[in-house]
Amino acid sequence: MQLDELKKSISTLEQVFAKTSSDININVEASETAQKKILKKYRQSFTATAVLAVVFAASWIGNVNPAAFPTHIRAFLVIYLVMATVWYVFMYLKLKRVDIGSLAPARLFSATTTIRLLTLTGEIVLGIGLAVFFTLFLPNLLSVRPLAFWLCVATLALSCLWGVCYLWPKYIRLFHDLNTIK
C-alpha cells in the first residue's frame, strides 16, 4: 500500500518537473511597457516628494505660520519627505537596472519579486510615517483651526479611498504585467 502511494507521488512529482522544465517565454514588449510605466510612477513620486521637501524646508527655515504648523511638525515632515525621495530614487534605479529582454525568466521573476517586495515594504514604512505625521498634526490643527481640521480629514478620507479603489489596482496590474508570459 505504501509502495503504491510512493510510486504515485513520484509520478506526480515527475509530471510537475516536466512541466516546469519546459521553456517559458516572457512577453518582452508587455513587460517593458509595464517597466516604463512603473518607472514613470517612481519618477513622479520622487519628484513630488523632493519638491514638497524643498517647500516645507523653506517654510521651516522661514518659520511661516508656526501656530497652525509648528516647527517640530515641519521638521518631521521635511525629514520624512527627504527619506521618501531617497527611497523612490533607490527603487527607480533598482528597476531601471533590470534588463527584461536579456534576463532568463527565473532571474527576471526573482528581480521583479524583489522589487515588488521592496516597493510594498517601502510603502508600508512610508504609510506608518504618514500616520505618525497626522497623529502629530491633526490634534494641533483641531485646536488652532477646526474648519481646516475637518477639511483635512475629509481630504485624507477621499485620498485613501481613491488610493485603494483606483491606484492600488493599477500598481498591482503593472507589477503583474512586469512578468507577462507568452
Side-chain angles (χ1 to χ4, degrees), residues 1-60:
M1 185 72 162
Q2 291 178 352
L3 185 59
D4 290 336
E5 289 177 16
L6 183 61
K7 286 180 182 178
K8 186 177 178 181
S9 296
I10 290 174
S11 174
T12 304
L13 189 59
E14 286 175 353
Q15 289 174 359
V16 169
F17 283 145
K19 288 180 183 177
T20 58
S21 65
S22 65
D23 286 52
I24 297 174
N25 294 325
I26 300 295
N27 187 348
V28 176
E29 184 177 319
S31 295
E32 286 178 345
T33 302
Q35 182 185 28
K36 287 177 186 174
K37 287 181 180 179
I38 295 170
L39 286 172
K40 179 181 176 186
K41 292 193 179 294
Y42 285 151
R43 241 187 345 266
Q44 290 171 341
S45 296
F46 74 70
T47 302
T49 55
V51 168
L52 287 172
V54 169
V55 167
F56 285 111
S59 76
W60 178 21

Side-chain angles (χ1 to χ4, degrees), residues 18 42 52 55 62 64 66 69 82 87 123 127 135 138 143 162 182:
Y42 285 151
L52 287 172
V55 167
V64 177
F69 207 22
V82 168
W87 179 254
E123 294 294 328
T135 301
L138 288 177
S143 66
W162 181 62
K182 286 184 183 178

